[in-house]
Amino acid sequence: MDVTVRAATRDDVPAIVRLLADDALGAQRELIEDPVAPIYLRAFDDIAAQPGNDLLVAVFEDAVIGCVQLTIIAGLSRRGVRRAQIEGVRVSSNHRGEKVGEQLVLEAIARARAAGCGLVQLTSDVSRLDARRFYEKLGFKATHIGMKLPLAKEP
Amino acid sequence: MDVTVRAATRDDVPAIVRLLADDALGAQRELIEDPVAPIYLRAFDDIAAQPGNDLLVAVFEDAVIGCVQLTIIAGLSRRGVRRAQIEGVRVSSNHRGEKVGEQLVLEAIARARAAGCGLVQLTSDVSRLDARRFYEKLGFKATHIGMKLPLAKEP
């Protein structure tokens, strides 16, 4: 299967949002409208304006079938290691089990290494048992708990 | 106790590194040298060059007694929510139990809100049982696993 991974463009946003929603958790969280909801285009512009924050897409026969977000974060701890953070890994339900996710994550790791990172990190919802096994096969270790605090809008 | 929280400067780096090492896990990870190891100053400069990546310190009687790193990350998932990520929360062993950590994290949350974030997130080593309770009291929920992959240096 001839899948290429490349940087996402603004034109990919509708396809990426469909991927984010093509998932048990994402289906409840995302907003599917046609044309794509403006909040996603604004978020894409915010990402594009942030150096070291990149969206990648997997493309097969001109269709976007997977995505990943990679963010490079400088920090002092662990001897000043630069971290790469992976978010929002998704593969179209039509193409699961075809190693597309693996290709995306390996490309993200290669880009992290090229950017001088010494650590790659991610969090995964505890309900995603397959995801944990997938990342463990790629060498990740579940050493941490991931905690989230939603912030309510100010009244 | 009159503790103020402010943005860290390059002159704070030696004190922050001592804080990072003043901890069961950090003691094994960090490099304590006098003067401070240049890798930390380079990392500070990398942080300072990244918009939305901030180090804060808690100061009591002119001494740095706590620190936190706050990174704002734009993203598409969860309806394009902007996230704030907290890393490297440390309080001097001489000042634990005095609500300094709470003040640091609450200030980080306030800055996250001011920056338009809808979510604050962090990971905590599974061995830090007190940390989990601390963050739960502040409203965080341990919904995720946190996975890490160290990258070996290229030969």
Side-chain angles (χ1 to χ4, degrees):
Chain A
M1 207 177 141
D2 192 19
V3 175
T4 56
V5 177
R6 61 162 173 79
T9 69
R10 205 169 195 267
D11 290 342
D12 295 319
V13 172
I16 297 172
V17 174
R18 283 193 298 271
L19 284 175
L20 293 173
D22 181 12
D23 169 84
L25 297 174
Q28 305 157 41
R29 283 179 190 153
E30 307 304 338
L31 202 60
I32 294 296
E33 291 176 0
D34 186 14
V36 70
I39 46 170
Y40 291 111
L41 293 170
R42 278 200 297 270
F44 180 87
D45 295 338
D46 282 354
I47 296 170
Q50 220 173 0
N53 197 357
D54 292 303
L55 277 172
L56 307 177
V57 287
V59 179
F60 175 64
E61 293 179 347
D62 293 332
V64 169
I65 62 166
C67 61
V68 61
Q69 182 181 1
L70 181 69
T71 311
I72 310 295
I73 305 173
L76 287 190
S77 62
R78 300 183 187 227
R79 305 186 176 202
V81 78
R82 199 173 294 165
R83 294 162 194 249
Q85 181 156 300
I86 288 176
E87 291 271 4
V89 178
R90 294 287 189 286
V91 173
S92 159
S93 50
N94 299 328
H95 291 282
R96 289 186 195 145
E98 297 171 3
K99 307 255 183 207
V100 178
E102 189 176 315
Q103 191 175 338
L104 279 165
V105 174
L106 290 177
E107 175 68 24
I109 293 170
R111 286 175 182 237
R113 198 188 290 278
C117 293
L119 190 68
V120 185
Q121 64 184 26
L122 59 90
T123 68
S124 179
D125 194 283
V126 291
S127 68
R128 298 192 195 274
L129 300 178
D130 289 351
R132 178 175 174 154
R133 281 190 292 266
F134 166 76
Y135 290 115
E136 283 175 341
K137 276 209 281 188
L138 294 175
F140 286 84
K141 291 204 164 48
T143 50
H144 286 61
I145 54 172
M147 306 189 78
K148 312 265 174 188
L149 173 70
L151 296 182
K153 295 243 186 263
E154 290 287 292
Chain B
M1 206 178 141
D2 192 19
V3 174
T4 55
V5 176
R6 62 161 171 81
T9 69
R10 207 168 193 265
D11 290 341
D12 295 320
V13 172
I16 297 172
V17 174
R18 284 193 298 271
L19 283 175
L20 293 172
D22 182 13
D23 169 82
L25 296 174
Q28 305 155 43
R29 283 179 190 152
E30 306 303 338
L31 202 59
I32 293 296
E33 291 176 1
D34 186 15
V36 70
I39 48 172
Y40 290 111
L41 293 170
R42 276 200 297 272
F44 180 86
D45 294 339
D46 282 354
I47 297 169
Q50 218 172 3
N53 197 358
D54 291 303
L55 278 173
L56 306 178
V57 287
V59 178
F60 175 64
E61 293 181 348
D62 293 332
V64 169
I65 61 166
C67 61
V68 63
Q69 181 181 1
L70 182 70
T71 311
I72 309 296
I73 304 172
L76 286 189
S77 62
R78 300 183 186 226
R79 304 187 178 200
V81 77
R82 197 173 295 165
R83 293 162 194 247
Q85 182 157 300
I86 287 176
E87 291 271 4
V89 179
R90 295 287 189 287
V91 173
S92 159
S93 49
N94 299 329
H95 290 282
R96 291 190 193 142
E98 297 171 4
K99 306 252 184 210
V100 178
E102 189 176 316
Q103 192 175 337
L104 278 165
V105 173
L106 290 176
E107 174 67 24
I109 292 170
R111 287 176 181 236
R113 198 188 291 274
C117 294
L119 190 67
V120 185
Q121 63 183 28
L122 59 90
T123 67
S124 180
D125 193 284
V126 290
S127 69
R128 298 192 195 274
L129 301 178
D130 288 352
R132 177 175 176 154
R133 280 190 293 267
F134 167 76
Y135 290 116
E136 282 174 342
K137 274 208 284 189
L138 295 175
F140 287 84
K141 291 206 162 49
T143 50
H144 285 63
I145 54 172
M147 307 189 78
K148 311 265 174 187
L149 173 70
L151 296 183
K153 293 245 186 263
E154 288 288 292

